[in-house]
């Protein structure tokens, strides 16, 4: 069974209290994110890392405070979550990725909206990876993680959510997201169950 890990929006602006759109408690996830990303690399599991990459005048900022503006420190992923062999799939229409015989260990997929499926090349990337299941973690459970798992479930492949590697903006909304996810056939796991 070919697995693909999906690390959702683990960026400085979301993970740390000084970030522009901090998810409460998210800094505690960093060891789990690092463990999962490096486990994927060690096992030869492709890793997709989604990242917000907003323009300074992004329409999303009418709803949310400015965050993850492309080129700023807050838009970056913490260094320890990055793998040495990586590539970035930008948000430009037609900016495709050529995976070739040597798939990068980490494929960073930029987006300018909550849903990673708004990147016009994301579905083609999933098709090229030919996963049998997806393992998802990151922030925020009730927003971008919800969009990712909903879209992945729609593909018809098994989706697993790592419950001790996610954090919600609103705990009640996060719990509702998890309940909806499992009701649609998604399954739950933990970091230790995945990596041991």
């Amino acid at each position: 069974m070919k697995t693909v890990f999906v690390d959702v929006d683990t960026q400085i602006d979301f993970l740390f209290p000084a970030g522009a759109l901090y998810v409460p408690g998210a800094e505690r996830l960093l060891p789990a994110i690092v463990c999962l990303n490096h486990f994927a690399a060690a096992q030869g599991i492709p890793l997709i890392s989604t990242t917000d990459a907003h323009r300074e005048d992004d329409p999303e900022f009418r709803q949310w405070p400015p965050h993850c503006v492309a080129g700023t420190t807050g838009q970056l992923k913490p260094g320890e979550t990055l793998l040495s062999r990586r590539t970035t799939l930008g948000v430009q229409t037609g900016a495709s990725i050529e995976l070739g015989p040597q798939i990068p260990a980490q494929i960073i997929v930029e987006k300018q909206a909550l849903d990673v499926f708004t990147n016009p090349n994301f579905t083609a990337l999933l098709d090229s990876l030919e996963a049998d299941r997806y393992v998802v973690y990151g922030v925020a459970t009730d927003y971008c993680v919800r969009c990712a798992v909903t879209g992945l479930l729609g593909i018809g492949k098994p989706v697993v959510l790592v419950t001790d590697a996610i954090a919600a903006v609103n705990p009640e909304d996060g719990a509702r997201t998890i309940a909806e996810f499992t009701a649609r056939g998604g399954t739950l796991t933990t970091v230790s169950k995945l990596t041991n």
Side-chain angles (χ1 to χ4, degrees):
M1 173 180 287
K2 184 176 181 182
T3 298
V4 170
F5 278 20
V6 183
D7 156 25
V8 179
D9 291 10
T10 54
Q11 296 167 266
I12 290 170
D13 267 349
F14 298 131
L15 290 179
F16 299 107
L21 200 55
Y22 170 60
V23 176
E27 72 278 12
R28 295 191 297 267
L29 301 180
L30 192 56
I33 304 302
V34 171
C35 175
L36 291 166
N37 287 7
H38 289 272
F39 174 80
Q43 300 298 315
I45 298 169
L47 170 64
I48 297 172
S49 293
T50 72
T51 60
D52 276 6
H54 294 299
R55 299 182 309 270
E56 288 184 10
D57 61 346
D58 202 296
E60 187 172 296
F61 298 161
R62 291 193 285 269
Q63 180 181 3
W64 300 99
H67 61 278
C68 297
V69 173
T72 65
T73 299
Q75 195 262 332
L76 299 174
K77 289 178 57 56
E80 59 267 44
T81 69
L82 295 171
L83 304 179
S84 57
R85 213 167 35 81
R86 62 183 180 272
T87 191
T88 298
L89 182 59
V91 295
Q92 300 83 12
T93 302
S96 61
I97 185 169
E98 294 295 329
L99 294 178
Q102 189 70 10
I103 297 173
Q106 185 174 33
I107 303 165
I108 298 173
V109 179
E110 294 181 340
K111 60 191 180 70
Q112 292 177 330
L114 294 176
D115 191 348
V116 68
F117 283 86
T118 60
N119 180 311
N121 304 294
F122 186 60
T123 301
L125 171 63
L126 296 180
D127 290 344
S128 68
L129 290 173
E130 299 179 332
D132 297 310
R133 76 169 181 159
Y134 299 96
V135 173
V136 181
Y137 48 94
V139 293
T141 309
D142 40 346
Y143 290 97
C144 296
V145 170
R146 177 178 49 80
C147 290
V149 297
T150 299
L152 291 169
L153 284 169
I155 294 171
K157 304 284 183 172
V159 182
V160 180
L161 188 60
V162 187
T163 56
D164 54 349
I166 55 175
V169 173
N170 179 306
E172 290 179 2
D173 291 340
R176 190 175 306 112
T177 296
I178 292 170
E180 291 169 357
F181 170 73
T182 56
R184 290 191 58 198
T187 58
L188 306 176
T189 192
T190 62
V191 173
S192 63
K193 285 180 183 174
L194 268 177
T195 58
N196 290 327

